[in-house]
Amino acid sequence: MIMEILWFCIITFMLGMYVVLDGFDLGVGILHRIIGRTEEERTALIKTIGPVWDGNEVWLLAAGGALYLAFPKLYASSFSGFYLPLIIVLWLLILRGIGIEFRHLIQNPMWKSFWDSVFSIASILLAIFFGAALGNVVRGVPLNQDGYFFEPLWTTFTVIPESGILDWFTVIMGLVAFFTLLSHGANYIAMKTDGVLQTRARTAAKLSWWGVLLLSIVAVVATTAIRPDVWNNYSAYPIGYIFPLGGFIGLVGMFMYIIKGKDTKAFISSSIFILMMLCATAFGHFPNLLIASTNRSYSITAYNAISHEYGLSVGIIWWIIGIILTSGYFIYLYRSFRGKISSNQSGY
């Protein structure tokens, strides 16, 4: 039982780190063509994420590797059932990357404008798809008794046992992710720039905060309506309320620090909000990993999907070594890149 909980927490932590770190550069991508109105401004926005955007995606790959080690049944089932959206996400990640890299290859306004649009559209769709993916996990998928499923992109657009990837609930979750990452990215831009870019970023952060607030309330109400048992763990272990409480404090902190123009604290607050709300979702979801919307007895849980204990014991040693090395690299990287960007900064 200890291993099940431990690896559930490890994977939640790694996914949380991915959303916080890659989330702000997704937010920069969403705002790329809104805040950056000239070639110089868009170049400056790319510079704010230049040395870190690809490194942040390491957390997603590492979480996938940990999932394969700890819960191979979930890995096999989800990569099979979510094949279509995973391919879409993969292409969006590729397009986003080449949007950043290709815009510098030819010094032509039309060429740069095209790849700027690719970068921005891919970032918008990624944010929505990641939110919809979380919505599918919360809502449940049509697992059969062998633990496999297939979902089309949509069916009736309602929450039924044979729902598709997109329905009204997963679209709401996608919009929550979109506004949350937009606000997170705006706080990051305000922290890394000055002048007109900083002013526009603060305005975007103020406006998007209201979207985060309203859609988060709608998402909580909708989740309670379709999955009332999500509160069972909170009733059994009230200590879990620390997560939604932490999320609420992060959300209030965002608003206060955005109004005061304290950009670094606003960015830290949005990071806390994201981490705490993901932990709150995971806490309410445990021990379920993938809920069967067809028959709850088909659900994949941390207990029926866990690997052999020996492999997990060896894996935890390598995970500790890996996380120490990764943490050291990220601390060095972000310390080297601290402060506001300058116009003569090299790269991107």
Side-chain angles (χ1 to χ4, degrees), residues 94-285:
I94 292 170
L95 288 171
R96 188 166 175 274
I98 63 177
I100 295 174
E101 299 289 348
F102 279 23
R103 71 186 301 275
H104 309 282
L105 297 182
I106 299 176
Q107 298 304 314
N108 179 284
M110 188 177 293
W111 173 270
K112 290 196 173 191
S113 178
F114 173 75
W115 288 112
D116 284 342
S117 297
V118 169
F119 171 55
S120 194
I121 292 170
S123 299
I124 292 169
L125 292 178
L126 274 172
I128 293 173
F129 263 84
F130 283 141
L134 179 62
N136 275 265
V137 172
V138 172
R139 180 204 63 197
V141 297
L143 284 167
N144 62 26
Q145 59 183 349
D146 296 323
Y148 289 95
F149 69 100
F150 172 76
E151 281 191 313
L153 204 52
W154 66 78
T155 55
T156 62
F157 223 70
T158 57
V159 180
I160 58 174
E162 300 292 338
S163 293
I165 302 294
L166 299 176
D167 59 29
W168 63 264
F169 176 71
T170 58
V171 168
I172 288 173
M173 296 296 283
L175 291 175
V176 172
F178 172 78
F179 278 98
T180 300
L181 298 187
L182 192 161
S183 185
H184 192 43
N187 288 329
Y188 178 77
I189 294 170
M191 183 178 69
K192 294 292 290 182
T193 61
D194 50 22
V196 68
L197 281 178
Q198 186 184 52
T199 303
R200 291 177 194 155
R202 285 174 175 170
T203 302
K206 285 177 193 171
L207 295 175
S208 59
W209 184 88
W210 290 102
V212 176
L213 174 66
L214 295 174
L215 283 164
S216 295
I217 293 171
V218 171
V220 170
V221 173
T223 302
T224 303
I226 69 166
R227 281 281 321 283
D229 56 324
V230 77
W231 297 105
N232 289 351
N233 283 347
Y234 288 96
S235 300
Y237 307 99
I239 186 68
Y241 280 106
I242 193 171
F243 298 123
L245 179 62
F248 177 74
I249 291 172
L251 188 62
V252 173
M254 281 170 63
F255 184 76
M256 289 175 53
Y257 292 124
I258 289 169
I259 295 297
K260 293 180 180 178
K262 297 183 181 299
D263 305 311
T264 301
K265 290 182 179 178
F267 177 71
I268 292 171
S269 296
S270 59
S271 301
I272 291 172
F273 171 72
I274 292 170
L275 264 181
M276 288 295 105
M277 294 315 291
L278 282 174
C279 288
T281 305
F283 184 85
H285 206 63

Side-chain angles (χ1 to χ4, degrees), residues 9-25 52-67 130 275 319-320 322-331 333-334:
C9 293
I10 285 174
I11 292 171
T12 301
F13 165 74
M14 296 175 83
L15 289 174
M17 289 300 296
Y18 169 72
V19 177
V20 169
L21 293 179
D22 208 35
F24 70 72
D25 60 59
V52 298
W53 71 269
D54 48 356
N56 292 337
E57 293 175 357
V58 167
W59 289 98
L60 183 61
L61 298 175
L67 192 68
F130 283 141
L275 264 181
W319 184 82
I320 291 171
I323 202 69
I324 291 172
L325 292 173
T326 304
S327 300
Y329 168 74
F330 271 85
I331 290 170
L333 177 65
Y334 279 93

Side-chain angles (χ1 to χ4, degrees), residues 1-11 316:
M1 184 170 177
I2 293 175
M3 279 294 179
E4 288 88 340
I5 296 173
L6 178 62
W7 279 99
F8 185 88
C9 293
I10 285 174
I11 292 171
I316 197 70

Side-chain angles (χ1 to χ4, degrees), residues 36-117:
R37 297 173 189 171
T38 65
E39 163 57 23
E40 290 74 21
E41 290 172 355
R42 287 195 285 273
T43 300
L45 289 174
I46 294 290
K47 283 183 179 178
T48 64
I49 59 171
V52 298
W53 71 269
D54 48 356
N56 292 337
E57 293 175 357
V58 167
W59 289 98
L60 183 61
L61 298 175
L67 192 68
Y68 178 70
L69 170 73
F71 304 110
K73 184 178 178 182
L74 172 66
Y75 183 91
S77 176
S78 57
F79 274 66
S80 170
F82 290 132
Y83 183 78
L84 176 61
L86 282 174
I87 290 296
I88 294 174
V89 165
L90 182 61
W91 271 105
L92 290 173
L93 287 170
I94 292 170
L95 288 171
R96 188 166 175 274
I98 63 177
I100 295 174
E101 299 289 348
F102 279 23
R103 71 186 301 275
H104 309 282
L105 297 182
I106 299 176
Q107 298 304 314
N108 179 284
M110 188 177 293
W111 173 270
K112 290 196 173 191
S113 178
F114 173 75
W115 288 112
D116 284 342
S117 297

